[in-house]
Short mmCIF file of all heavy atoms in Angstrom, two decimals:
data_model
loop_
_atom_site.label_atom_id
_atom_site.label_comp_id
_atom_site.label_asym_id
_atom_site.label_seq_id
_atom_site.Cartn_x
_atom_site.Cartn_y
_atom_site.Cartn_z
N PRO A 264 -130.13 41.12 -109.72
CA PRO A 264 -130.89 40.41 -110.68
C PRO A 264 -131.43 41.20 -111.89
O PRO A 264 -131.78 42.38 -111.71
CB PRO A 264 -131.92 39.71 -109.96
CG PRO A 264 -132.16 40.62 -108.82
CD PRO A 264 -130.85 41.23 -108.45
N PHE A 271 -140.90 35.00 -113.59
CA PHE A 271 -140.71 35.56 -112.18
C PHE A 271 -141.64 36.69 -111.89
O PHE A 271 -142.33 36.76 -110.96
CB PHE A 271 -139.26 35.98 -112.03
CG PHE A 271 -139.07 36.51 -110.55
CD1 PHE A 271 -138.62 35.67 -109.56
CD2 PHE A 271 -139.21 37.86 -110.29
CE1 PHE A 271 -138.43 36.11 -108.30
CE2 PHE A 271 -138.99 38.35 -109.03
CZ PHE A 271 -138.64 37.53 -108.01
N HIS A 275 -144.67 36.44 -109.20
CA HIS A 275 -144.41 37.26 -108.01
C HIS A 275 -145.13 38.64 -107.98
O HIS A 275 -144.85 39.51 -107.32
CB HIS A 275 -142.96 37.42 -107.69
CG HIS A 275 -142.28 36.13 -107.37
ND1 HIS A 275 -141.76 35.36 -108.38
CD2 HIS A 275 -142.08 35.47 -106.21
CE1 HIS A 275 -141.25 34.26 -107.77
NE2 HIS A 275 -141.38 34.34 -106.52
N ILE A 282 -141.55 44.54 -102.31
CA ILE A 282 -140.12 44.59 -102.64
C ILE A 282 -139.62 45.94 -102.81
O ILE A 282 -138.63 46.36 -102.23
CB ILE A 282 -139.67 43.57 -103.73
CG1 ILE A 282 -140.00 42.13 -103.41
CG2 ILE A 282 -138.17 43.76 -104.15
CD1 ILE A 282 -139.82 41.15 -104.49
N MET A 287 -135.56 44.17 -99.75
CA MET A 287 -135.58 42.74 -99.75
C MET A 287 -134.22 42.31 -99.22
O MET A 287 -133.20 42.76 -99.64
CB MET A 287 -135.81 42.22 -101.18
CG MET A 287 -135.87 40.71 -101.23
SD MET A 287 -136.19 40.29 -102.88
CE MET A 287 -135.91 38.60 -102.74
N ARG A 288 -134.34 41.17 -98.42
CA ARG A 288 -133.10 40.50 -97.97
C ARG A 288 -133.18 39.01 -98.32
O ARG A 288 -134.37 38.56 -98.33
CB ARG A 288 -132.84 40.63 -96.45
CG ARG A 288 -132.97 42.08 -95.96
CD ARG A 288 -132.78 41.96 -94.46
NE ARG A 288 -131.32 42.12 -94.13
CZ ARG A 288 -130.92 42.96 -93.25
NH1 ARG A 288 -131.73 43.60 -92.46
NH2 ARG A 288 -129.62 43.04 -93.02
N GLY A 289 -132.07 38.37 -98.41
CA GLY A 289 -132.18 36.88 -98.64
C GLY A 289 -132.01 36.60 -100.13
O GLY A 289 -132.04 37.42 -100.97
N GLU A 290 -131.90 35.29 -100.29
CA GLU A 290 -131.71 34.77 -101.70
C GLU A 290 -132.96 34.93 -102.52
O GLU A 290 -134.00 34.65 -102.02
CB GLU A 290 -131.19 33.34 -101.53
CG GLU A 290 -130.70 32.85 -102.90
CD GLU A 290 -130.17 31.39 -102.72
OE1 GLU A 290 -130.93 30.52 -102.70
OE2 GLU A 290 -128.85 31.35 -102.64
N ILE A 291 -132.66 35.19 -103.79
CA ILE A 291 -133.77 35.23 -104.82
C ILE A 291 -133.17 34.55 -106.08
O ILE A 291 -131.99 34.71 -106.30
CB ILE A 291 -134.18 36.67 -105.04
CG1 ILE A 291 -135.37 36.74 -106.03
CG2 ILE A 291 -132.99 37.50 -105.59
CD1 ILE A 291 -135.87 38.11 -106.17
N LYS A 292 -134.01 33.78 -106.72
CA LYS A 292 -133.65 33.07 -107.95
C LYS A 292 -134.38 33.72 -109.16
O LYS A 292 -135.58 33.77 -109.18
CB LYS A 292 -133.93 31.59 -107.85
CG LYS A 292 -132.99 30.76 -108.54
CD LYS A 292 -133.25 29.27 -108.21
CE LYS A 292 -131.85 28.67 -108.05
NZ LYS A 292 -131.68 27.50 -107.57
N VAL A 293 -133.55 34.18 -110.15
CA VAL A 293 -134.13 34.83 -111.34
C VAL A 293 -133.34 34.19 -112.51
O VAL A 293 -132.07 34.19 -112.56
CB VAL A 293 -133.90 36.32 -111.24
CG1 VAL A 293 -134.43 37.02 -112.57
CG2 VAL A 293 -134.53 36.98 -110.03
N GLY A 295 -132.99 31.26 -113.15
CA GLY A 295 -132.27 30.06 -112.59
C GLY A 295 -130.87 30.43 -111.86
O GLY A 295 -130.16 29.49 -111.56
N ILE A 296 -130.65 31.71 -111.70
CA ILE A 296 -129.39 32.15 -111.06
C ILE A 296 -129.79 32.76 -109.71
O ILE A 296 -130.76 33.44 -109.59
CB ILE A 296 -128.65 33.19 -111.87
CG1 ILE A 296 -128.22 32.59 -113.24
CG2 ILE A 296 -127.45 33.70 -111.12
CD1 ILE A 296 -127.75 33.62 -114.21
N SER A 297 -129.04 32.39 -108.66
CA SER A 297 -129.32 32.88 -107.31
C SER A 297 -128.57 34.22 -107.08
O SER A 297 -127.39 34.39 -107.47
CB SER A 297 -128.79 31.92 -106.28
OG SER A 297 -129.57 30.70 -106.30
N TYR A 298 -129.27 35.13 -106.41
CA TYR A 298 -128.75 36.48 -106.08
C TYR A 298 -128.98 36.61 -104.61
O TYR A 298 -130.04 36.21 -104.04
CB TYR A 298 -129.49 37.59 -106.79
CG TYR A 298 -129.26 37.46 -108.29
CD1 TYR A 298 -130.08 36.75 -109.13
CD2 TYR A 298 -128.20 38.14 -108.92
CE1 TYR A 298 -129.92 36.68 -110.52
CE2 TYR A 298 -127.96 38.05 -110.32
CZ TYR A 298 -128.88 37.25 -111.00
OH TYR A 298 -128.70 37.26 -112.40
N ASN A 299 -128.04 37.22 -103.87
CA ASN A 299 -128.33 37.32 -102.46
C ASN A 299 -127.70 38.67 -101.91
O ASN A 299 -127.09 38.84 -100.90
CB ASN A 299 -127.51 36.20 -101.69
CG ASN A 299 -128.04 36.09 -100.28
OD1 ASN A 299 -128.98 36.77 -99.86
ND2 ASN A 299 -127.48 35.12 -99.55
N GLN A 300 -127.94 39.71 -102.72
CA GLN A 300 -127.64 41.11 -102.37
C GLN A 300 -128.83 41.79 -101.81
O GLN A 300 -129.92 41.69 -102.32
CB GLN A 300 -127.13 41.77 -103.71
CG GLN A 300 -126.38 43.09 -103.43
CD GLN A 300 -124.93 42.86 -102.93
OE1 GLN A 300 -124.49 41.71 -102.84
NE2 GLN A 300 -124.33 43.88 -102.46
N GLN A 301 -128.71 42.52 -100.72
CA GLN A 301 -129.85 43.23 -100.15
C GLN A 301 -130.28 44.31 -101.06
O GLN A 301 -129.45 45.02 -101.68
CB GLN A 301 -129.43 43.83 -98.78
CG GLN A 301 -130.57 44.60 -98.13
CD GLN A 301 -130.17 45.15 -96.83
OE1 GLN A 301 -129.24 44.62 -96.19
NE2 GLN A 301 -131.05 46.00 -96.25
#
Side-chain angles (χ1 to χ4, degrees):
F271 180 90
H275 295 89
I282 293 170
M287 185 178 166
R288 303 180 97 132
E290 190 175 79
I291 185 173
K292 211 169 221 170
V293 180
I296 298 170
S297 293
Y298 298 87
N299 199 2
Q300 194 75 13
Q301 181 177 344

